[in-house]
Amino acid sequence: MVLSLPATKSLFPSPCWPERRRKFHLRSSTVRCGIAEASGQPAPMGQKTKYKDGVLERVFMSLFSRKMYKFGRGGKAGMEEKGLFDCDYESFVEVSRGVMEGRSRVQQQQVVREVLLSMLPPGAPAQFRKLFPPTKWAAEFNAALTVPFFHWLVGPSEVVEVEINGVKQKSGVHIKKCRYLENSGCVGMCVNMCKIPTQDFFTNEFGLPLTMNPNFEDMSCEMIYGQVPPSFEDDPVSKQSCLPNFCSIANPNSSLCPKLKA
């Protein structure tokens, strides 16, 4: 799938990458695409960033939404009848919220794992392990791939230098303001539907350790390829409270987001 993405991109150029405004800086590994803000940067905290999604972005949203809709208990009716280019980000988040309903923390994470596996061809994890053994090069390569190919999901990001076991390497990805957290406003969705299952998928299925550190103060996030993630009990997110100013189902009286309970 990874090897086929560049070819797909050339066949279906995204309208948010016109030639005169395309910004792909290899030196800084920063991609600015899809943001409709005048500044070209995510909106300040308290304001929702405006995006202009192109063809490829909507295809990815539709594919993930359709897969998750089969497990969901909410979301917009008729998702399976939507065209490949008809799904928007709000629908994708709403379908994700439907998956959470009536499921425990572990069950939510298991659904995401099944969705991710269903998106891959048979034997893909084994092939990934052969192509990308857990080396410094593999970690840095996957960090570089994350920036352009996942902007539709998390927004703009850039490769940054991190230190793992005393070794400095450019296998970190700094997400400036996570689009998923910004649109859901839910700590539980961030942790159960993104952070934990993504960490687990790369670490256990692909054999490449990954740690994700969301910052709920500014909605940024740091992905560190090559770093083994801590257990849930030892992770600071396990003690995170709700974001009552952003989450519609938040419990402001609880010191812990209810969705983080077992």
Side-chain angles (χ1 to χ4, degrees), residues 157-177:
S157 61
E158 60 183 345
V159 171
V160 295
E161 185 177 73
V162 295
E163 184 172 327
I164 302 175
N165 299 325
V167 178
K168 292 184 178 181
Q169 57 191 55
K170 290 190 175 181
S171 64
V173 176
H174 176 71
I175 301 169
K176 298 182 178 181
K177 188 182 183 185

Side-chain angles (χ1 to χ4, degrees), residues 94-189:
E94 188 174 347
V95 170
S96 299
R97 187 173 286 112
V99 170
M100 295 183 68
E101 294 183 10
R103 288 187 171 91
S104 67
R105 169 171 55 84
V106 175
Q107 289 173 333
Q108 295 168 35
Q109 297 165 14
Q110 182 63 26
V111 167
V112 178
R113 176 183 177 275
E114 293 183 27
V115 169
L116 291 175
L117 284 174
S118 70
M119 299 289 290
L120 300 175
Q127 289 299 318
F128 186 97
R129 286 173 177 266
K130 293 180 180 179
L131 289 171
F132 305 109
T135 62
K136 175 183 176 182
W137 175 86
E140 292 184 333
F141 184 75
N142 277 272
L145 281 180
T146 297
V147 174
F149 293 122
F150 288 92
H151 69 84
W152 72 271
L153 178 61
V154 299
S157 61
E158 60 183 345
V159 171
V160 295
E161 185 177 73
V162 295
E163 184 172 327
I164 302 175
N165 299 325
V167 178
K168 292 184 178 181
Q169 57 191 55
K170 290 190 175 181
S171 64
V173 176
H174 176 71
I175 301 169
K176 298 182 178 181
K177 188 182 183 185
C178 180
R179 187 179 186 182
Y180 191 67
L181 178 57
E182 181 182 25
N183 278 264
S184 67
C186 180
V187 170
M189 288 183 68

Side-chain angles (χ1 to χ4, degrees), residues 24-240:
F24 193 117
H25 305 297
L26 294 178
R27 182 173 301 178
S28 62
S29 298
T30 300
V31 171
R32 293 172 59 185
C33 172
I35 289 185
E37 302 288 339
S39 64
Q41 299 293 329
M45 279 293 290
Q47 301 178 30
K48 185 175 291 187
T49 305
K50 298 177 182 178
Y51 285 85
K52 183 179 181 182
D53 295 309
V55 174
L56 277 180
E57 287 83 2
R58 288 186 175 273
V59 168
F60 281 123
M61 292 173 196
S62 294
L63 290 175
F64 274 87
S65 295
R66 287 179 176 183
K67 292 288 185 179
M68 296 184 72
Y69 183 75
K70 297 178 181 179
F71 297 92
R73 303 180 185 184
K76 295 181 178 179
M79 177 62 68
E80 68 279 359
E81 299 176 0
K82 284 180 174 289
L84 195 58
F85 309 112
D86 296 335
C87 183
D88 56 20
Y89 201 86
E90 288 70 23
S91 297
F92 168 68
V93 172
E94 188 174 347
V95 170
S96 299
R97 187 173 286 112
V99 170
M100 295 183 68
E101 294 183 10
R103 288 187 171 91
S104 67
R105 169 171 55 84
V106 175
Q107 289 173 333
Q108 295 168 35
Q109 297 165 14
Q110 182 63 26
V111 167
V112 178
R113 176 183 177 275
E114 293 183 27
V115 169
L116 291 175
L117 284 174
S118 70
M119 299 289 290
L120 300 175
Q127 289 299 318
F128 186 97
R129 286 173 177 266
K130 293 180 180 179
L131 289 171
F132 305 109
T135 62
K136 175 183 176 182
W137 175 86
E140 292 184 333
F141 184 75
N142 277 272
L145 281 180
T146 297
V147 174
F149 293 122
F150 288 92
H151 69 84
W152 72 271
L153 178 61
V154 299
S157 61
E158 60 183 345
V159 171
V160 295
E161 185 177 73
V162 295
E163 184 172 327
I164 302 175
N165 299 325
V167 178
K168 292 184 178 181
Q169 57 191 55
K170 290 190 175 181
S171 64
V173 176
H174 176 71
I175 301 169
K176 298 182 178 181
K177 188 182 183 185
C178 180
R179 187 179 186 182
Y180 191 67
L181 178 57
E182 181 182 25
N183 278 264
S184 67
C186 180
V187 170
M189 288 183 68
C190 167
V191 176
N192 297 337
M193 304 292 290
C194 182
K195 171 184 160 63
I196 299 298
T198 303
Q199 287 181 168
D200 180 74
F201 199 80
F202 270 89
T203 303
N204 298 319
E205 300 293 338
F206 283 163
L208 181 63
L210 170 65
T211 296
M212 298 178 66
N213 299 317
N215 184 330
F216 296 102
E217 297 294 326
D218 60 6
M219 294 189 175
S220 65
C221 183
E222 185 178 45
M223 303 176 68
I224 307 176
Y225 288 94
Q227 184 176 86
V228 177
S231 65
F232 179 76
E233 292 72 20
D234 294 331
D235 198 314
V237 300
S238 64
K239 303 175 180 62
Q240 179 65 40

